[in-house]
Amino acid sequence: MKRFENKVVIVTGASRNTGVEIADLFIREGAKVCTSGSTLESTQNGANELRLRGLDGFISVPCDIGNEADVKALFAKVMETYGRVDVLVNNACDQGIGGTFEELTSDDFFKVIKTNLLGCFQMCQNAVKIMLKQESKGVIVNLGSNVSMRAIKNRTAYVASKGGIDALTRSMAVDLAPKGIRINEVAPGYIYTQRWDVLPEDVKTRRRNNIPLRKEASGKDIADVVAFLASDSSKNICGERIVVDGGCSAQHMPTDIDF
């Protein structure tokens, strides 16, 4: 028996990399999946990648999760197609790359917050309103980051948004656990994505040497933990933040710091 046989799962940010791997795992595990990207093109790109892997039986709906109308339209399509929502995976993210703190404008800051925090909230609230009407309720897994506890430079909006997801996850868990809905978070560190393909080899080597396990996560590594938290194997885990960063958060200083 597959873990998510006939469960309805929504995966945002499923246009490439980790989002595609998460959708891939749920589809292979028997779920009825709705994938989403922020634009029609990105959504189609993710869907095409899944089909190239021989996967089908899913739907794809473009959705800018920071846009309330888009979010409502996505859930309307899922309900029209499947009639329920069992698992929501909030993977969509604005990386907020570029600029120092003093250069960051209010518009720049809010753009990241709008997607990463407001978008996560809007997706969760729409899912919860459906789940509360279901006998089996449901599960939500939010994607955070290890930077919410160990900040990186020149990424204030991103770091702040991920700190907000930590707090949002805890708050939702306290409010919704008594009503039968579990909320948890996966907080990755380095993940191998297409951005790594353009990095010089010495930069990649230095990054890996500063990870205690000496290896960045793959998208599948993250997908495995997401699926665990969405499954009955974690049925007594609620309000938790599971860090998947190869041990980076456990160490005081990276290996190459001379102290």
Side-chain angles (χ1 to χ4, degrees):
M1 180 70 174
K2 296 179 178 179
R3 283 184 293 176
F4 300 100
E5 195 74 49
N6 294 321
K7 296 286 188 181
V8 176
V9 179
I10 298 172
V11 182
T12 67
S15 58
R16 57 183 178 173
N17 298 320
T18 306
V20 168
E21 297 301 335
I22 294 170
D24 179 307
L25 188 153
F26 279 106
I27 294 168
R28 292 182 192 277
E29 289 274 9
K32 299 175 180 177
V33 174
C34 172
T35 65
S36 179
S38 60
T39 66
L40 176 60
E41 181 182 9
S42 66
T43 303
Q44 290 175 337
N45 287 341
N48 289 339
E49 172 61 27
L50 291 168
R51 292 189 181 101
L52 284 172
R53 300 180 183 191
L55 301 173
D56 56 20
F58 61 92
I59 63 170
S60 296
V61 183
C63 179
D64 172 359
I65 65 170
N67 181 305
E68 187 175 13
D70 275 13
V71 172
K72 290 185 180 301
L74 180 146
F75 279 93
K77 182 63 176 179
V78 171
M79 292 301 288
E80 175 190 332
T81 306
Y82 298 129
R84 61 183 296 107
V85 176
D86 298 294
V87 178
L88 167 64
V89 181
N90 282 307
N91 175 68
C93 177
D94 185 327
Q95 295 286 334
I97 296 172
T100 63
F101 176 82
E102 63 272 20
E103 294 169 337
L104 187 66
T105 68
S106 296
D107 286 345
D108 293 334
F109 184 82
F110 184 65
K111 175 177 177 289
V112 177
I113 296 296
K114 186 178 180 183
T115 295
N116 296 358
L117 188 54
L118 177 63
C120 181
F121 164 78
Q122 291 183 154
M123 290 295 298
C124 287
Q125 192 172 69
N126 278 267
V128 164
K129 288 177 179 179
I130 294 168
M131 290 174 176
L132 287 173
K133 298 175 183 178
Q134 300 172 172
E135 184 177 353
S136 60
K137 303 307 186 246
V139 180
I140 295 174
V141 182
N142 295 326
L143 271 292
S145 172
N146 65 350
V147 305
S148 67
M149 302 294 288
R150 301 172 66 87
I152 53 179
K153 65 181 181 180
N154 297 335
R155 298 283 292 281
T156 292
Y158 178 74
V159 172
S161 72
K162 293 303 184 177
I165 287 175
D166 290 356
L168 177 64
T169 299
R170 291 192 299 270
S171 180
M172 288 175 59
V174 170
D175 283 354
L176 296 168
K179 300 176 182 179
I181 298 175
R182 289 194 302 114
I183 320 289
N184 286 294
E185 175 187 347
V186 177
Y190 283 133
I191 308 172
Y192 191 96
T193 68
Q194 293 163 344
R195 292 192 301 276
W196 282 61
D197 293 337
V198 298
L199 292 175
E201 286 304 315
D202 64 317
V203 172
K204 288 189 274 192
T205 297
R206 181 171 179 264
R207 285 187 178 187
R208 287 166 178 154
N209 285 341
N210 285 324
I211 302 170
L213 280 177
R214 301 294 189 262
K215 185 72 173 70
E216 73 280 4
S218 67
K220 186 178 184 306
D221 291 332
I222 306 305
D224 285 339
V225 182
V226 169
F228 166 70
L229 289 175
S231 75
D232 288 342
S233 295
S234 64
K235 61 186 176 185
N236 201 40
I237 299 176
C238 188
E240 288 300 316
R241 175 180 179 269
I242 308 299
V243 180
V244 187
D245 69 357
C248 288
S249 296
Q251 65 186 357
H252 178 56
M253 292 287 185
T255 301
D256 67 0
I257 297 295
D258 185 15
F259 62 92

